[in-house]
Amino acid sequence: MKVVLFCGGLGMRLREFSETIPKPLVEVGSRPVLWHLMKYYAHFGHKDFVLCLGHGGAAIKNFFLKYDECVFNDFVYSQGGRRLELVRKDIDDWRITFVDTGAHSNIGERLRRVRDHLAGEEIFLANYADGLSDLDLSTHVESFKARGKVACFISIPAPHTFHIVQTDSEQHATKLELVAESPVRVNGGFFVFRQEIFDYMRPGEELVVEPFARLMQKRELIAFPYDGFWRNMDTFKDKIQLDELVARGDVRWQVWRR
């Protein structure tokens, strides 16, 4: 299946990096978060990518145009450098379509602008470019197929450390509850769509607002609960936490290592 990745946002909450490089190229360990995500999909056999570019699109193109397998992988050097033998390769069998979907487009508009590149795909995958998980993608897709609906995503426990506040009629605080310990769940991405998704979309609409509202009215949108590993890189703090996981060897999203 083709994989659509939304790579064109401004990344305003990660401005420590996004003013110089786009958020998908911010590194987790020694690799861009986008590479980690694409490697995840490739592990499950989905190696045909459509990148929805916008802010920083040229930098993303240049990253792949200048990608050197020898820099990123183990290799054998012989004959004074005339012969290089890669021990393994990363992206040799990937197919990547780079599409400029506008500097200020929302997610819905970016998806609409790559529709022609999805012709013939009865079902396709899509995701934000900054979320990592150890989700069993094959099981996720098969569950979606079995339900016969138009769209699905994973719902995850709210990861934030804020407190939910409850008050009485006189504004006295009656309860404080950590969001992460509440039953609140949020959209974790890892979308699976049928072609019919485009029937629910209109120009300029945000994907998870108007189109998803129409899908919900028709009972065509599934939110599969997932309580396994999931992290996104939305802020500088998130980047530091992911780097700390790498330093500890706790890289559960790297399912290709298993």
Side-chain angles (χ1 to χ4, degrees):
M1 295 179 189
K2 289 191 175 183
V3 183
V4 177
L5 297 177
F6 306 117
C7 305
L10 294 175
M12 296 300 289
R13 289 187 292 272
L14 198 61
R15 295 192 66 177
E16 292 85 352
F17 293 95
S18 61
E19 289 185 349
T20 55
I21 60 173
K23 184 164 68 168
L25 292 186
V26 175
E27 292 183 348
V28 174
S30 60
R31 308 271 194 148
V33 64
L34 177 61
W35 178 91
H36 286 270
L37 185 60
M38 294 172 76
K39 185 73 171 177
Y40 163 88
Y41 278 103
H43 169 75
F44 290 100
H46 308 292
K47 303 177 182 180
D48 195 342
F49 300 96
V50 179
L51 302 188
C52 300
L53 304 179
H55 171 72
I60 293 174
K61 289 179 180 179
N62 282 326
F63 171 78
F64 286 101
L65 286 171
K66 298 176 180 178
Y67 193 91
D68 188 339
E69 292 275 22
C70 289
V71 172
F72 289 103
N73 292 290
D74 297 339
F75 66 93
V76 178
Y77 177 101
S78 62
Q79 299 178 16
R82 295 188 300 276
R83 180 178 177 83
L84 301 175
E85 300 172 71
L86 283 162
V87 176
R88 61 176 178 272
K89 298 180 180 181
D90 285 331
I91 68 174
D92 187 58
D93 56 351
W94 295 4
R95 183 176 186 272
I96 309 172
T97 302
F98 300 84
V99 184
D100 182 357
T101 55
H104 301 287
S105 300
N106 60 31
I107 297 296
E109 190 60 27
R110 294 192 193 284
L111 181 56
R112 289 185 69 255
R113 293 185 182 188
V114 299
R115 182 176 184 176
D116 290 346
H117 297 283
L118 299 169
E121 295 287 306
E122 178 187 353
I123 297 174
F124 63 93
L125 310 174
N127 209 346
Y128 307 113
D130 62 351
L132 302 174
S133 177
D134 63 355
L135 172 74
D136 186 328
L137 186 62
S138 296
T139 299
H140 181 51
V141 171
E142 290 305 313
S143 297
F144 170 74
K145 289 180 178 178
R147 296 294 295 271
K149 301 299 182 179
V150 172
C152 79
F153 60 93
I154 61 170
S155 72
I156 59 167
H160 302 294
T161 56
F162 300 113
H163 288 83
I164 298 172
V165 180
Q166 296 183 19
T167 63
D168 60 21
S169 59
E170 296 181 342
Q171 290 79 52
H172 294 108
T174 59
K175 185 177 182 180
L176 293 175
E177 181 181 15
L178 274 172
V179 173
E181 296 176 357
S182 74
V184 172
R185 303 185 73 88
V186 299
N187 165 23
F190 291 84
F191 303 104
V192 188
F193 294 130
R194 297 185 186 275
Q195 275 288 331
E196 288 82 353
I197 183 64
F198 294 107
D199 297 335
Y200 292 81
M201 302 176 68
R202 306 290 182 269
E205 293 180 342
E206 178 55 84
L207 176 65
V208 301
V209 183
E210 297 93 346
F212 274 21
R214 296 183 188 108
L215 287 166
M216 287 186 284
Q217 289 177 350
K218 298 289 187 178
R219 297 180 64 81
E220 290 288 347
L221 180 64
I222 300 295
F224 287 114
Y226 186 66
D227 294 326
F229 177 87
W230 183 96
R231 294 286 190 283
N232 73 331
M233 193 172 64
D234 196 38
T235 67
F236 182 68
K237 180 180 178 181
D238 296 328
K239 183 234 178 335
I240 295 301
Q241 290 177 340
L242 283 167
D243 282 341
E244 289 174 348
L245 290 176
V246 172
R248 297 201 302 266
D250 185 7
V251 287
R252 282 170 280 175
W253 67 88
Q254 294 186 11
V255 293
W256 57 90
R257 289 179 174 270
R258 297 175 185 171

